[in-house]
Amino acid sequence: RKAKTSRKASKRPKAGTAATGDPAKRDQILAAATRVFLASGYGGSSMDAIAGEAAVSKQTVYNHFGGKDALFGAIVRKKCGQLLEPLKVPPQTLGSAGGDPRTVLSGIAQGFLELVLASENMAHFRAVVAESRRFPELAKAFYRSGPEIAVDSLARYLKTMDRQGLLAIAEPKPAARMFFAMLRGDLYMRRLLGLVAVPGKAEMRHAVDQAVRAFLAAHAADKPWRG
């Protein structure tokens, strides 16, 4: 009898692992959990509510994610991955041929603003901020999975531009942080506070042009695109 019990226990999924390995089921749970978290906040959400929203058993949710913190972390990582994809510096710009800094930085800036100002993404960010004091590990996971990766990616590009003499950047990582900080200006603040709706492309383009022009002026070498 003990042997049978042991064999049965060995078949039981470990916490945080998928019971069936079904990616569609995992995505179904993530989508449902996202809706519940945004509606009730992390502290006000229960695994029962998430299971009900996903139309699965609570045990199925546990089998896939192990717990609420792991589930929230998975949502953050997935969302950050989606946000970062358009912000990745194209590999060809990191080669010996480099890339026109104004064009590359404008593309990154436009993609960044379109993403962070979108309603759903703004709601995700507000949710993380709202829960960050009670659950600092979630804030850390968000930062590591999103902003930090974006900064590191841009810093690599800026280092290449400095090496090629197209920009004068002694400290690429602080410069990358400054670039994204410039984009999170008044337009972003008003959007974060809910004072304005999603701005149009023209308004975002204006903000992009201002940030890129100021950044290039601060780090300019003697190149034709200066100014």
Side-chain angles (χ1 to χ4, degrees):
R1 184 176 300 174
K2 288 183 179 179
K4 288 183 180 180
T5 302
S6 178
R7 281 196 297 271
K8 285 183 179 179
S10 66
K11 294 180 181 178
R12 189 177 301 153
K14 294 179 180 179
T17 62
T20 63
D22 182 0
K25 182 69 68 177
R26 179 182 173 87
D27 288 343
Q28 177 182 333
I29 295 170
L30 282 174
T34 298
R35 293 192 293 271
V36 173
F37 283 137
L38 290 180
S40 305
Y42 181 83
S45 300
S46 68
M47 295 295 267
D48 285 312
I50 292 168
E53 181 70 20
V56 299
S57 70
K58 184 165 70 170
Q59 187 59 49
T60 298
V61 180
Y62 276 112
N63 287 343
H64 278 78
F65 296 98
K68 190 168 71 167
D69 56 343
L71 178 53
F72 192 86
I75 291 172
V76 168
R77 286 190 296 275
K78 182 176 181 179
K79 176 55 64 176
C80 286
Q82 294 170 345
L83 292 176
L84 287 171
E85 192 60 36
L87 303 183
K88 290 179 180 177
V89 177
Q92 61 268 26
T93 66
L94 295 176
S96 59
D100 172 55
R102 186 183 297 279
T103 301
V104 173
L105 292 174
S106 294
I108 292 173
Q110 185 72 30
F112 176 80
L113 281 183
E114 288 177 359
L115 288 164
V116 300
L117 296 177
S119 297
E120 182 181 357
N121 298 330
M122 187 63 72
H124 276 280
F125 179 68
R126 291 189 186 111
V128 171
V129 172
E131 303 293 351
S132 62
R133 187 165 185 176
R134 286 192 299 167
F135 306 99
E137 69 279 2
L138 300 178
K140 292 176 183 177
F142 176 84
Y143 185 79
R144 288 194 303 266
S145 300
E148 189 170 53
I149 293 176
V151 166
D152 287 343
S153 177
L154 179 56
R156 286 193 296 273
Y157 170 74
L158 295 177
K159 185 176 181 179
T160 300
M161 294 298 95
D162 177 74
R163 188 168 57 244
Q164 295 177 7
L166 296 175
L167 292 175
I169 301 180
E171 299 179 284
K173 197 161 185 176
R177 290 194 184 104
M178 184 183 78
F179 181 71
F180 286 118
M182 290 167 68
L183 292 169
R184 291 191 296 269
D186 184 67
L187 180 62
Y188 177 82
M189 179 61 69
R190 286 185 286 125
R191 181 78 182 105
L192 183 62
L193 294 173
L195 301 178
V196 294
V198 180
K201 286 188 178 295
E203 189 174 4
M204 280 192 273
R205 218 167 16 243
H206 179 67
V208 165
D209 289 342
Q210 285 188 316
V212 170
R213 189 180 302 114
F215 187 84
L216 291 178
H219 299 284
D222 187 16
K223 297 297 174 182
W225 44 258
R226 181 178 180 179

